[in-house]
Amino acid sequence: MKVLVIGGGGREHALAWKLAGGQRVERVYVAPGNAGTARDARLRNVPITDLAELRRWAQQEGIALTVVGPEQPLAAGVVDEFRAHGLRIFGPTRAAAQLESSKAFSKAFMQRHGIPTAAYETFSDAAAAHAYVDAQGAPIVVKADGLAAGKGVVVAMTPAEAHEAIDFMLLDNRLGVSHNEGGARVVIEEFLQGEEASFIVLCDGRNALALATSQDHKRLLDGDLGPNTGGMGAYSPAPVVTADVHARVMREIILPTLRGMEQDGMPYTGFLYAGLMIDAAGRPKTLEFNCRMGDPETQPIMMRLKSDLYEVLLAATEGRLDQVELEWDRRTALGVVLAAAGYPLTPRKGDPIFGLPKDEPDVMVFHAATAEKDGQIVTAGGRVLCVTALADSVKQAQTRVYDVIRGIHFDGMQYRHDIGHRAVKS
């Protein structure tokens, strides 16, 4: 069978790497892929980004299954396009993908269906947004309504930071947000206390199958300081998601979301990622939904998955997830992102990367923003690589990953030295 993975980041490299191990999989294509997917003999890059052209190519090639990695093609309707031409594809429709592409849609949906989340208001007028912040005070959270590659959220600890974020998102859009119809909007939410976790499930429209728990680190700097990013590292499993918390999330968040989407006429299929805040009493609230696997959570999760991903996703596209049981490696997987100089606002491109190790069963360097230039692999965006390892404990996984990182170099390389610190403390 031939499989297509749409996207070119670290998440897509990890998905393609895992799919390539499927018993019935002959070849995995990645569109457009990166320098890491180009290095794997089992993978082949396809330099097509136009969705209609990619659909025609998939028809010609006889692609048995397409898996969508990033959010932009989902918001653009790639699932609708492929399905309309009889192609099997795993992901939500354009309408269902609004759970991620519009924060305002998502918050209204949660409120309508009684799904626990932070109190909020939505604004398109900057003056009204500023007045709301003045009335509420800080800390407070400001979110861009449209897609922002994981960077459209500012946790403002002071009113001044909140005011700056409003101007960023509504007036000058330095974050590069893809605005939805009706123009720029922000969602301003109450600040929730607790510990964050990533809860990712597979959905087939009616059934949900939970993947291994994970936790990522959004802030750029050690100690969870500095600006928010798309994610600087992650590990799996996440101790904060206890068996009780897991049951509550499925009962109070995931299943009501599936039922609500079905009631609203847009059955949800694909990966569904609930970003959670879990308070000291173990009560979860939904910070946001993503309609895809998380990045960098995908990398450790795929390292731990022992089941055949192709067969699992095939079952998902046939509405058979209630018949699937996933098998996991009992060990901990931990990944650390190596980011480019200037990330997250002005990442530098074109820096040569040295010291990349060979792939090993327990250590993988997943590529994200990499390209090949004159035979040399170079940086091509913000989050460049994710060094990921499996080990018997968080501490051992940390040691393994940071040993590998010491051998890798590119000018301006920045990364956190404390990924997994919450799990080590616990």
Side-chain angles (χ1 to χ4, degrees):
M1 298 291 184
K2 296 177 181 177
V3 179
L4 170 64
V5 174
I6 297 177
R11 165 185 47 230
E12 291 76 42
H13 187 183
L15 288 169
W17 169 80
K18 189 64 192 174
L19 284 161
Q23 214 166 2
R24 294 199 285 158
V25 174
E26 307 159 31
R27 170 78 66 186
V28 178
Y29 297 91
V30 192
N34 56 43
T37 52
R39 287 175 57 179
D40 190 326
R42 304 170 305 161
L43 313 179
R44 187 166 296 169
N45 287 353
V46 179
I48 302 172
T49 52
D50 179 80
L51 300 184
E53 187 185 343
L54 191 58
R55 183 264 303 162
R56 288 190 290 270
W57 177 88
Q59 285 178 298
Q60 290 162 8
E61 282 292 327
I63 297 295
L65 172 69
T66 297
V67 181
V68 189
E71 59 273 29
Q72 292 90 348
L74 294 170
V78 66
V79 170
D80 311 71
E81 171 76 17
F82 274 52
R83 284 185 185 165
H85 293 85
L87 290 166
R88 185 189 298 269
I89 184 167
F90 186 65
T93 60
R94 182 177 186 172
Q98 289 179 95
L99 274 179
E100 175 171 9
S101 64
S102 171
K103 293 286 190 291
F105 172 92
S106 177
K107 294 294 287 191
F109 171 86
M110 286 189 269
Q111 192 173 58
R112 193 163 62 248
H113 291 284
I115 295 161
T117 189
Y120 77 103
E121 292 289 343
T122 302
F123 300 91
S124 54
D125 177 70
H130 286 306
Y132 183 76
V133 167
D134 286 337
Q136 296 294 319
I140 198 163
V141 181
V142 184
K143 297 181 176 180
D145 179 46
L147 295 176
K151 298 191 289 287
V153 177
V154 172
V155 180
M157 302 312 289
T158 65
E161 287 176 3
H163 291 309
E164 183 183 45
I166 290 165
D167 289 341
F168 262 20
M169 295 174 192
L170 286 181
L171 301 179
D172 63 8
N173 194 21
R174 268 185 267 171
L175 292 171
V177 178
S178 300
H179 296 311
N180 293 308
E181 287 176 25
R185 286 190 297 185
V186 293
V187 171
I188 303 181
E189 293 183 354
E190 69 169 319
F191 174 79
L192 297 178
Q193 293 275 13
E195 194 166 348
E196 286 191 49
S198 308
F199 199 97
I200 306 172
V201 299
L202 308 175
C203 302
D204 64 11
R206 294 216 142 177
N207 306 295
L209 180 64
L211 295 175
T213 61
S214 59
Q215 190 166 35
D216 77 337
H217 297 64
K218 287 288 187 194
R219 300 285 189 151
L220 180 69
L221 305 174
D222 289 0
D224 299 316
L225 301 173
N228 254 359
T229 71
M232 294 301 293
Y235 57 94
S236 172
V240 68
V241 184
T242 62
D244 285 348
V245 170
H246 195 287
R248 282 190 76 155
V249 173
M250 290 297 290
R251 185 175 66 247
E252 298 175 11
I253 296 172
I254 300 299
L255 294 177
T257 298
L258 275 186
R259 287 195 294 270
M261 292 298 280
E262 198 173 14
Q263 285 168 20
D264 291 355
M266 41 190 131
Y268 193 93
T269 56
F271 298 111
L272 180 64
Y273 169 131
L276 305 176
M277 183 66 79
I278 301 163
D279 70 14
R283 290 178 299 232
K285 283 191 176 181
T286 315
L287 293 173
E288 64 177 1
F289 283 120
N290 292 327
C291 294
R292 52 185 165 87
M293 288 286 282
D295 188 345
E297 295 96 331
T298 305
Q299 292 87 316
I301 289 173
M302 288 299 110
M303 289 282 283
R304 290 189 63 217
L305 181 64
K306 296 176 82 170
S307 303
D308 186 325
L309 183 60
Y310 173 77
E311 299 297 342
V312 172
L313 297 185
L314 203 64
T317 62
E318 294 173 353
R320 297 188 286 109
L321 278 180
D322 55 334
Q323 301 166 32
V324 176
E325 195 170 325
L326 297 176
E327 189 182 355
W328 298 99
D329 194 309
R330 291 180 178 277
R331 291 175 293 172
T332 293
L334 184 140
V336 175
V337 168
L338 307 184
Y343 179 75
L345 284 178
T346 54
R348 194 168 71 204
K349 299 178 182 179
D351 288 311
I353 303 169
F354 302 101
L356 288 169
K358 289 182 179 176
D359 297 343
E360 295 180 39
D362 294 348
V363 182
M364 279 291 300
V365 179
F366 292 110
H367 288 232
T370 62
E372 195 169 319
K373 186 179 178 184
D374 302 326
Q376 171 72 53
I377 295 177
V378 299
T379 63
R383 292 183 298 162
V384 179
L385 304 166
C386 183
V387 182
T388 313
L390 274 169
D392 288 329
S393 68
V394 174
K395 197 76 185 160
Q396 288 175 357
Q398 283 177 327
T399 300
R400 194 78 200 275
V401 166
Y402 287 111
D403 280 348
V404 173
I405 287 173
R406 274 192 283 276
I408 300 172
H409 174 76
F410 55 87
D411 285 349
M413 184 172 93
Q414 51 177 334
Y415 61 93
R416 283 184 55 164
H417 304 78
D418 64 347
I419 299 300
H421 69 86
R422 297 188 197 101
V424 172
K425 282 180 185 174
S426 64

